Amino acid sequence: MCGIVGFYSFIKNKDIIINNQLETIRHRGPDDKNIYVHNNIALGHTRLAIIDIKQGSQPMHSIDGRFTIVFNGEIYNYLELRQHLVSKGIDFKTYSDTEVLLNMYILYREDCVCKLNGMFSFAIYDKEKNSLFLARDHFGIKPLYYVYNDNNFVFASEIKSILKYPGIRAEVDYLSLNEYMAFQVMLKKHTMFKNISSLEPATYLILENGKIKEKKRYWHFNYDIDETKNEDEYCSELLHLLEDSLNIQTRADVPIGAYLSGGIDSSLVSILASKKYFGDFHTFTGGFKDSEEFDETYYANIVHRYIKSIHHEIFPTSQNFIDTFEKISYHMDYPEAGPGVFSQYMVSKLASSYVKVVLGGQGGDEIFGGYTRYAVAYLEQAIKGAIFETAEEGKHLVTLQSIIPNMPQLKNYIPLIKEQFKEGLFGPMDERYYRIINRTHNVDMIYNNDFLKSFDSRQLLDKFKQVFNTPNTKSYFNKMTYFDLKTLLPALLHVEDRVSMAVSIESRVPILDYRIVELVSKMPPTMKFAGGKTKAILLKTVKNLLPKEIFERKDKMGFPTPINKWLANDLKEYALDILTSQKSKQRGYFNISNIENEIINSGKFSRDLWGCLNIEMWHRQFIDNA
């Protein structure tokens, strides 16, 4: 795991500029730092050494000196690819996955990305063609940002590094700001910075003589259902892929551990990894002592005892939040997702004292349908089908009768159900899911009327529909999981990358193997969401691997942060200082009187206030200092 930066430019003092850029992301790789400058190209790399610690320095050059690579991430199947390359007569100087990747490109050019299993963003310079090839992994686990204009192409692992390039100024992209207000995620390739783009997942870009020659998506998944396999065959294949993913993702020359919340996904990853990894296996969990609803350590301890791991716990406090919020905001570059970023940062910081690689369960909810809001959506769908005797999805995925046994999981979602049923009941699928994930119900309370004039809710709905209705499927379940894979998951991976890199450890997400997504997308939705049961096919597959108490859990929390309780008590003054400051008032975004008198003082709308705190802190750190 590393940080990369580079540019194509006619600017002078390239070595000084790129060294300044590298220093900004030194936390991503404190073990080594090097640059390469040739004609109009400058490349930089800061290294967190995981594989072939002694010989894997970058930028790395081909034997003939024609190609140079800077690479962030891991190629998990590098041993298999190395054997393949050796059979083609290629000699190696190192045992690193970087040299494997470089030689894969030399042999296969842009087609090399279709043979990789890993998390990666990388750039390869071809001295002969004066070209750059940049690519990002299937899900965008590793970040890659760029700025492109007539005179410059600048890229980096983090935006703060791009902002160190002369002439690039931090400005607000108001469309993206609106998306964050509505969803607390970005819908497509946007960042919150004007003119700074994120290279989309599963995409490569070719720059030749300073001009973008080609940008292409190299991997897609679809919902062409394979009816030739029965449920047992699907489960068998899924289990094999899960085990193989853990097998290749426990390859490292440094100590490995796992985040362990006590939920299905992190428990499964910890259990499988402990079988594959030879050595002391550490697990890390966090909880909050504010109340039992914020503490999953009981379940995490069940798993830790089951696999006999060396277990570590942390219980963050509101004071920890005050002490770290500004730092976390800086490392995030721009806000994404919810207050769980604080919790994850604290657990990552704990893990960094013991291991250099940590495994997590990210992706399981989006792939297998683990969010309870899917059941909320299907409650409405089942009622609609029963009343109107319609089969909107071609056939009934969930009937009213079949969903009843799984209704107890909705007891904590009564407010969401009330909101969902309040208007637009039984409307089109896309508009119903939009209402479930839309967070703009309280914008009139929180934001200034003048600022809201720029908020185009119709445009946001149209952009939402473009993503939601993209897949070739009638299935409501598939459409919902697809949308979350394309929007929510990148936000969560943004958090995963930033909080781990902030403390200089590598985070791996073994469930996010593209082979698993391809398999699950071919499964009939009736298997994946049988009777409205979240993660139905995954649970059937791994039932015999999990402790009974974990398998039968119905109260998964997702490591919630008690931001609502804290804003009503311990964080009240801190939040008021930020949101009602002179700077905040001059910005004109917020309805200060409502925030001060009705919202914070009554403890309402905590998730909305979380968004406001992030917007204001982001402006202070990046926009005000531009």
Side-chain angles (χ1 to χ4, degrees), residues 293-347:
E293 65 181 303
F294 299 109
D295 187 1
E296 292 186 286
T297 54
Y298 169 79
Y299 293 102
N301 276 290
I302 290 173
V303 178
H304 126 66
R305 289 191 293 267
Y306 183 72
I307 63 176
K308 298 180 174 59
S309 66
I310 301 171
H311 193 55
H312 311 271
E313 294 179 345
I314 190 171
F315 294 89
T317 66
S318 57
Q319 186 58 49
N320 292 141
F321 183 92
I322 292 171
D323 293 340
T324 60
F325 178 58
E326 188 171 348
K327 181 178 183 179
I328 293 170
S329 176
Y330 170 77
H331 278 288
M332 283 289 289
D333 272 347
Y334 57 92
E336 287 255 56
V341 60
F342 162 69
S343 311
Q344 285 183 254
Y345 172 79
M346 295 302 294
V347 178

Coordinates of all heavy atoms in Angstrom, one line a residue, residues 293-347:
E293 N -26.9 -0.3 22.9 CA -27.2 -0.2 21.5 C -26.0 0.2 20.7 O -26.1 0.1 19.5 CB -28.4 0.7 21.3 CG -28.1 2.1 21.7 CD -29.3 3.1 21.4 OE1 -29.8 3.1 20.3 OE2 -29.7 3.7 22.4
F294 N -25.0 0.7 21.3 CA -23.8 1.1 20.6 C -22.6 0.2 20.9 O -21.4 0.6 20.7 CB -23.4 2.5 21.0 CG -24.5 3.5 20.6 CD1 -25.2 4.1 21.6 CD2 -24.8 3.8 19.3 CE1 -26.2 5.0 21.3 CE2 -25.7 4.7 19.0 CZ -26.5 5.3 20.0
D295 N -22.8 -1.0 21.4 CA -21.7 -1.9 21.9 C -21.9 -3.3 21.3 O -22.8 -4.0 21.8 CB -21.6 -1.9 23.4 CG -20.4 -2.6 23.9 OD1 -19.6 -3.1 23.0 OD2 -20.2 -2.8 25.1
E296 N -21.1 -3.7 20.4 CA -21.1 -5.1 19.8 C -20.0 -6.0 20.3 O -19.8 -7.0 19.8 CB -21.1 -5.0 18.3 CG -22.3 -4.4 17.7 CD -22.2 -4.5 16.2 OE1 -21.5 -3.8 15.5 OE2 -23.0 -5.3 15.6
T297 N -19.3 -5.5 21.3 CA -18.1 -6.3 21.7 C -18.4 -7.7 22.3 O -17.6 -8.6 22.2 CB -17.3 -5.5 22.8 OG1 -18.2 -5.1 23.9 CG2 -16.7 -4.2 22.2
Y298 N -19.7 -7.8 22.7 CA -20.1 -9.2 23.2 C -20.0 -10.2 22.1 O -19.4 -11.3 22.2 CB -21.5 -9.1 23.7 CG -22.2 -10.5 24.0 CD1 -21.8 -11.2 25.1 CD2 -23.0 -11.0 23.0 CE1 -22.4 -12.5 25.3 CE2 -23.6 -12.3 23.2 CZ -23.3 -13.0 24.4 OH -23.9 -14.2 24.6
Y299 N -20.5 -9.8 20.9 CA -20.4 -10.7 19.7 C -19.0 -10.8 19.2 O -18.6 -11.9 18.7 CB -21.4 -10.2 18.7 CG -22.9 -10.3 19.1 CD1 -23.6 -9.2 19.5 CD2 -23.5 -11.5 19.1 CE1 -24.9 -9.2 19.9 CE2 -24.9 -11.6 19.5 CZ -25.5 -10.4 19.9 OH -26.8 -10.5 20.3
A300 N -18.3 -9.8 19.2 CA -16.9 -9.8 18.7 C -16.1 -10.8 19.5 O -15.3 -11.6 19.0 CB -16.3 -8.5 18.7
N301 N -16.4 -10.8 20.8 CA -15.6 -11.7 21.7 C -16.0 -13.2 21.5 O -15.2 -14.1 21.7 CB -15.9 -11.3 23.2 CG -14.9 -10.2 23.7 OD1 -13.7 -10.4 23.8 ND2 -15.5 -9.0 23.8
I302 N -17.2 -13.4 21.1 CA -17.6 -14.8 20.8 C -16.8 -15.3 19.6 O -16.2 -16.4 19.7 CB -19.1 -14.9 20.4 CG1 -20.0 -14.6 21.6 CG2 -19.5 -16.2 19.7 CD1 -21.5 -14.5 21.2
V303 N -16.6 -14.5 18.6 CA -15.8 -14.9 17.4 C -14.3 -15.0 17.8 O -13.6 -16.0 17.4 CB -16.0 -13.9 16.3 CG1 -15.1 -14.3 15.1 CG2 -17.4 -13.9 15.9
H304 N -13.8 -14.0 18.6 CA -12.4 -14.1 18.9 C -12.0 -15.3 19.7 O -11.0 -16.0 19.5 CB -12.0 -12.8 19.7 CG -11.4 -13.0 21.0 ND1 -10.1 -13.5 21.2 CD2 -11.8 -12.7 22.3 CE1 -9.8 -13.5 22.5 NE2 -10.9 -13.0 23.1
R305 N -12.9 -15.7 20.6 CA -12.7 -17.0 21.4 C -12.8 -18.2 20.5 O -12.1 -19.2 20.6 CB -13.7 -17.1 22.5 CG -13.4 -16.1 23.7 CD -14.2 -16.4 24.9 NE -15.6 -16.2 24.7 CZ -16.3 -15.0 25.0 NH1 -15.6 -14.0 25.4 NH2 -17.6 -14.9 24.7
Y306 N -13.7 -18.1 19.5 CA -13.9 -19.2 18.6 C -12.7 -19.5 17.7 O -12.4 -20.6 17.4 CB -15.1 -18.8 17.7 CG -15.6 -19.9 16.7 CD1 -16.2 -21.1 17.1 CD2 -15.4 -19.7 15.3 CE1 -16.7 -22.0 16.2 CE2 -15.8 -20.6 14.4 CZ -16.5 -21.8 14.8 OH -16.9 -22.7 13.9
I307 N -12.0 -18.4 17.3 CA -10.8 -18.6 16.4 C -9.5 -18.5 17.2 O -8.4 -18.6 16.6 CB -10.8 -17.6 15.3 CG1 -10.8 -16.2 15.8 CG2 -12.0 -17.8 14.4 CD1 -10.7 -15.1 14.6
K308 N -9.6 -18.2 18.5 CA -8.5 -18.0 19.4 C -7.5 -17.0 18.9 O -6.3 -17.1 18.8 CB -7.7 -19.4 19.5 CG -8.6 -20.5 20.2 CD -7.8 -21.8 20.3 CE -8.6 -22.8 21.1 NZ -9.9 -23.2 20.5
S309 N -8.0 -15.8 18.5 CA -7.2 -14.7 18.1 C -6.7 -13.9 19.3 O -7.2 -14.0 20.4 CB -8.0 -13.8 17.2 OG -9.1 -13.1 17.9
I310 N -5.7 -13.1 19.0 CA -5.2 -12.1 20.0 C -6.1 -10.9 19.8 O -6.0 -10.2 18.8 CB -3.7 -11.8 19.8 CG1 -2.9 -13.0 19.9 CG2 -3.3 -10.7 20.8 CD1 -1.4 -12.8 19.5
H311 N -7.0 -10.6 20.8 CA -8.0 -9.6 20.6 C -7.7 -8.3 21.3 O -7.2 -8.3 22.4 CB -9.3 -10.2 21.1 CG -10.6 -9.5 20.7 ND1 -10.9 -9.2 19.4 CD2 -11.6 -8.9 21.5 CE1 -12.0 -8.5 19.3 NE2 -12.4 -8.3 20.6
H312 N -8.2 -7.2 20.6 CA -7.9 -5.9 21.2 C -9.2 -5.1 21.0 O -9.9 -5.2 20.0 CB -6.8 -5.2 20.4 CG -5.6 -6.0 20.2 ND1 -4.6 -6.0 21.1 CD2 -5.2 -6.9 19.2 CE1 -3.6 -6.8 20.7 NE2 -4.0 -7.3 19.6
E313 N -9.5 -4.3 22.1 CA -10.8 -3.5 22.1 C -10.4 -2.0 22.4 O -9.5 -1.7 23.0 CB -11.7 -4.0 23.1 CG -12.3 -5.4 22.9 CD -13.2 -5.8 24.0 OE1 -13.2 -5.2 25.1 OE2 -14.0 -6.8 23.8
I314 N -11.3 -1.2 21.8 CA -11.2 0.2 22.1 C -12.6 0.8 22.3 O -13.5 0.4 21.6 CB -10.4 1.0 21.0 CG1 -10.1 2.4 21.5 CG2 -11.2 1.0 19.7 CD1 -9.2 3.2 20.5
F315 N -12.7 1.8 23.2 CA -14.1 2.4 23.5 C -13.9 3.9 23.4 O -13.6 4.6 24.3 CB -14.5 2.0 24.9 CG -14.9 0.5 25.0 CD1 -13.9 -0.4 25.4 CD2 -16.1 0.0 24.8 CE1 -14.2 -1.7 25.5 CE2 -16.4 -1.3 24.9 CZ -15.4 -2.2 25.3
P316 N -14.1 4.4 22.1 CA -13.9 5.8 21.9 C -14.9 6.7 22.7 O -16.0 6.2 23.0 CB -14.1 6.0 20.4 CG -13.9 4.6 19.8 CD -14.4 3.7 20.9
T317 N -14.6 7.9 23.0 CA -15.4 8.8 23.7 C -15.7 10.0 22.9 O -15.1 10.3 21.9 CB -14.7 9.2 25.0 OG1 -13.6 10.0 24.7 CG2 -14.3 8.0 25.9
S318 N -16.6 10.9 23.4 CA -16.9 12.1 22.7 C -15.7 13.0 22.7 O -15.5 13.8 21.8 CB -18.1 12.8 23.4 OG -17.8 13.0 24.8
Q319 N -14.9 13.0 23.8 CA -13.6 13.8 23.8 C -12.7 13.3 22.7 O -12.0 14.2 22.1 CB -12.9 13.7 25.1 CG -11.8 14.6 25.3 CD -12.1 16.1 25.1 OE1 -13.1 16.6 25.7 NE2 -11.4 16.8 24.2
N320 N -12.6 12.0 22.4 CA -11.8 11.5 21.3 C -12.3 12.1 20.0 O -11.5 12.4 19.1 CB -11.9 10.0 21.2 CG -11.2 9.3 22.4 OD1 -11.7 8.3 22.9 ND2 -10.1 9.8 22.8
F321 N -13.6 12.2 19.9 CA -14.2 12.8 18.7 C -13.7 14.3 18.5 O -13.3 14.7 17.4 CB -15.7 12.8 18.7 CG -16.4 13.3 17.5 CD1 -16.8 12.4 16.5 CD2 -16.7 14.6 17.4 CE1 -17.4 12.9 15.3 CE2 -17.3 15.1 16.2 CZ -17.6 14.3 15.2
I322 N -13.8 15.0 19.6 CA -13.4 16.4 19.5 C -11.9 16.5 19.2 O -11.5 17.4 18.4 CB -13.6 17.1 20.9 CG1 -15.2 17.2 21.1 CG2 -13.0 18.5 21.0 CD1 -15.5 17.7 22.5
D323 N -11.1 15.6 19.7 CA -9.7 15.6 19.5 C -9.2 15.2 18.1 O -8.2 15.6 17.6 CB -9.0 14.7 20.5 CG -9.1 15.2 21.9 OD1 -9.4 16.4 22.1 OD2 -8.9 14.4 22.9
T324 N -10.1 14.4 17.4 CA -9.7 13.9 16.1 C -10.5 14.3 14.9 O -10.1 14.1 13.8 CB -9.7 12.3 16.2 OG1 -11.1 11.9 16.4 CG2 -8.8 11.7 17.2
F325 N -11.6 15.0 15.1 CA -12.5 15.3 14.0 C -11.8 16.1 12.9 O -11.9 15.8 11.7 CB -13.8 16.0 14.5 CG -14.7 16.4 13.4 CD1 -15.2 15.4 12.5 CD2 -15.1 17.7 13.2 CE1 -16.1 15.8 11.5 CE2 -15.9 18.1 12.2 CZ -16.5 17.1 11.4
E326 N -11.0 17.1 13.3 CA -10.4 18.0 12.4 C -9.3 17.2 11.6 O -9.2 17.3 10.4 CB -9.7 19.1 13.1 CG -9.1 20.2 12.2 CD -8.7 21.4 12.9 OE1 -9.0 21.6 14.1 OE2 -8.0 22.3 12.3
K327 N -8.6 16.3 12.3 CA -7.6 15.5 11.6 C -8.2 14.5 10.6 O -7.8 14.3 9.5 CB -6.8 14.7 12.7 CG -5.7 13.8 12.1 CD -4.9 13.1 13.1 CE -3.8 12.3 12.5 NZ -2.9 11.6 13.5
I328 N -9.3 13.9 11.0 CA -10.0 13.0 10.1 C -10.6 13.7 8.9 O -10.4 13.2 7.8 CB -11.2 12.3 10.9 CG1 -10.6 11.3 12.0 CG2 -12.1 11.5 9.9 CD1 -11.7 10.8 12.9
S329 N -11.1 14.9 9.1 CA -11.6 15.7 8.0 C -10.5 16.0 7.0 O -10.7 15.9 5.8 CB -12.2 17.0 8.5 OG -12.6 17.8 7.5
Y330 N -9.3 16.3 7.5 CA -8.2 16.5 6.6 C -7.8 15.3 5.8 O -7.6 15.4 4.6 CB -7.0 17.0 7.5 CG -5.7 17.1 6.7 CD1 -5.4 18.2 5.8 CD2 -4.7 16.1 6.8 CE1 -4.3 18.2 5.1 CE2 -3.5 16.2 6.1 CZ -3.3 17.2 5.3 OH -2.1 17.3 4.6
H331 N -7.7 14.2 6.5 CA -7.3 13.0 5.8 C -8.4 12.5 4.8 O -8.0 11.9 3.7 CB -7.1 11.8 6.8 CG -5.7 11.9 7.4 ND1 -4.5 11.6 6.7 CD2 -5.3 12.3 8.6 CE1 -3.5 11.8 7.5 NE2 -3.9 12.2 8.7
M332 N -9.6 12.8 5.0 CA -10.7 12.4 4.1 C -10.6 13.1 2.7 O -11.2 12.7 1.7 CB -12.1 12.6 4.7 CG -12.4 11.6 5.7 SD -12.8 10.0 5.0 CE -14.4 10.3 4.2
D333 N -10.0 14.3 2.7 CA -10.0 15.2 1.5 C -11.3 15.9 1.2 O -11.4 17.1 1.0 CB -9.6 14.4 0.2 CG -8.1 14.3 0.0 OD1 -7.4 15.1 0.7 OD2 -7.7 13.6 -0.9
Y334 N -12.4 15.1 1.3 CA -13.8 15.7 1.2 C -14.7 14.7 1.9 O -14.4 13.5 1.9 CB -14.2 16.0 -0.2 CG -14.2 14.8 -1.2 CD1 -15.3 14.0 -1.3 CD2 -13.0 14.5 -1.9 CE1 -15.3 12.9 -2.2 CE2 -13.0 13.4 -2.7 CZ -14.1 12.6 -2.9 OH -14.1 11.5 -3.7
P335 N -15.8 15.2 2.4 CA -16.7 14.3 3.2 C -17.4 13.3 2.4 O -17.9 13.5 1.3 CB -17.7 15.3 3.9 CG -17.6 16.5 3.1 CD -16.3 16.6 2.5
E336 N -17.5 12.1 2.9 CA -18.3 11.0 2.4 C -18.8 10.1 3.5 O -18.2 9.9 4.5 CB -17.4 10.1 1.4 CG -17.1 10.7 0.1 CD -17.9 10.1 -1.0 OE1 -19.1 10.2 -1.0 OE2 -17.2 9.7 -2.0
A337 N -20.1 9.6 3.3 CA -20.7 8.6 4.2 C -20.9 9.3 5.6 O -20.9 10.5 5.8 CB -19.8 7.4 4.3
G338 N -21.2 8.4 6.6 CA -21.7 8.8 7.9 C -20.6 8.9 9.0 O -19.4 8.8 8.7
P339 N -21.1 9.1 10.2 CA -20.2 9.3 11.3 C -19.3 8.1 11.7 O -18.5 8.1 12.5 CB -21.1 9.7 12.5 CG -22.4 9.3 12.1 CD -22.5 9.3 10.6
G340 N -19.6 6.9 11.0 CA -18.8 5.7 11.3 C -17.3 5.9 10.9 O -16.5 5.2 11.4
V341 N -17.0 7.0 10.2 CA -15.6 7.2 9.8 C -14.8 7.5 11.1 O -13.6 7.1 11.2 CB -15.5 8.5 8.9 CG1 -16.1 9.7 9.5 CG2 -14.0 8.7 8.5
F342 N -15.4 8.1 12.1 CA -14.7 8.3 13.4 C -14.4 7.0 14.1 O -13.3 6.7 14.5 CB -15.5 9.2 14.3 CG -15.1 9.2 15.7 CD1 -13.9 9.7 16.2 CD2 -15.9 8.6 16.7 CE1 -13.5 9.7 17.5 CE2 -15.6 8.5 18.0 CZ -14.4 9.1 18.4
S343 N -15.4 6.1 14.1 CA -15.2 4.8 14.8 C -14.1 4.0 14.1 O -13.3 3.4 14.7 CB -16.5 4.1 14.8 OG -17.6 4.9 15.2
Q344 N -14.2 4.0 12.7 CA -13.2 3.3 12.0 C -11.8 3.8 12.2 O -10.8 3.0 12.2 CB -13.6 3.3 10.5 CG -14.8 2.3 10.2 CD -15.1 2.3 8.7 OE1 -16.0 2.9 8.2 NE2 -14.2 1.7 7.9
Y345 N -11.7 5.1 12.2 CA -10.4 5.7 12.5 C -9.8 5.2 13.8 O -8.6 4.9 13.9 CB -10.5 7.2 12.4 CG -9.2 7.9 12.8 CD1 -8.1 8.0 11.9 CD2 -9.0 8.4 14.1 CE1 -6.9 8.6 12.3 CE2 -7.8 9.0 14.5 CZ -6.8 9.1 13.6 OH -5.6 9.6 14.0
M346 N -10.6 5.2 14.8 CA -10.1 4.9 16.1 C -9.7 3.4 16.2 O -8.7 3.0 16.8 CB -11.2 5.1 17.2 CG -11.6 6.6 17.4 SD -10.2 7.7 17.8 CE -9.8 7.0 19.5
V347 N -10.5 2.5 15.5 CA -10.1 1.1 15.5 C -8.8 0.9 14.6 O -8.0 0.1 15.0 CB -11.2 0.2 15.0 CG1 -10.8 -1.2 14.9 CG2 -12.5 0.4 15.9

